[in-house]
Amino acid sequence: MADIHVQPDTRQLKLKFQFNTPQQFFYTVTLINRERNQQIFRDKGQWDGKTQFNLGEADDLIGIYLIIDWTVIDPAGEGHNFNAEAITFQEDEECVAYQKCIGTTTDDAAFQVTVGKFVINSL
């Protein structure tokens, strides 16, 4: 799990996906308030479609978990490295810590889950 460092203010957070290898990436983005056991956001995207998500104001997201369910398919077959990143931006500034989906393809789809938590920037 990675702590995603944000400034406690009303600037908007955006999640942007970046693909460093040619596989097909599909993902579900979920924001969870664990204290209330409540899902507050859920959306889906893929490498050739929706690659950016507006998450809301930083103040509202401190303490919230960002969970990404990744599915990776490689039409070229198995044995290839894959690498993608989900980067959080506060306005145009990249936040410290982002989520990486890395591994090696198999003859089936590869599945990964990455988890981050929004925390107050103490750096």
Side-chain angles (χ1 to χ4, degrees):
M1 183 174 84
D3 286 343
I4 303 165
H5 297 254
V6 298
Q7 296 296 332
D9 58 30
T10 59
R11 291 185 291 166
Q12 295 292 310
L13 297 183
K14 291 183 182 178
L15 184 67
K16 296 180 183 180
F17 285 81
Q18 177 179 310
F19 311 102
N20 305 314
T21 57
Q23 289 82 6
Q24 299 172 348
F25 291 87
F26 304 86
Y27 34 84
T28 301
V29 176
T30 308
L31 293 176
I32 299 286
N33 183 329
R34 290 189 63 190
E35 289 180 11
R36 295 183 179 169
N37 197 25
Q38 177 185 31
Q39 176 181 297
I40 58 176
F41 175 87
R42 186 175 181 92
D43 203 351
K44 294 181 179 189
Q46 63 189 50
W47 86 104
D48 65 348
K50 189 168 187 176
T51 60
Q52 182 173 306
F53 298 85
N54 294 321
L55 302 178
E57 292 183 7
D59 276 346
D60 296 334
L61 295 174
I62 292 171
I64 300 297
Y65 287 83
L66 170 63
I67 301 168
I68 303 173
D69 295 295
W70 303 79
T71 301
V72 183
I73 298 173
D74 192 345
E78 62 181 302
H80 300 100
N81 292 333
F82 59 84
N83 182 331
E85 300 166 336
I87 305 165
T88 303
F89 289 84
Q90 190 166 5
E91 293 298 331
D92 293 325
E93 297 175 30
E94 187 175 317
C95 296
V96 172
Y98 49 92
Q99 297 181 30
K100 288 187 176 186
C101 177
I102 55 175
T104 304
T105 58
T106 63
D107 58 354
D108 245 347
F111 302 98
Q112 283 192 20
V113 176
T114 56
V115 179
K117 182 180 180 183
F118 294 105
V119 297
I120 294 174
N121 188 6
S122 59
L123 301 176

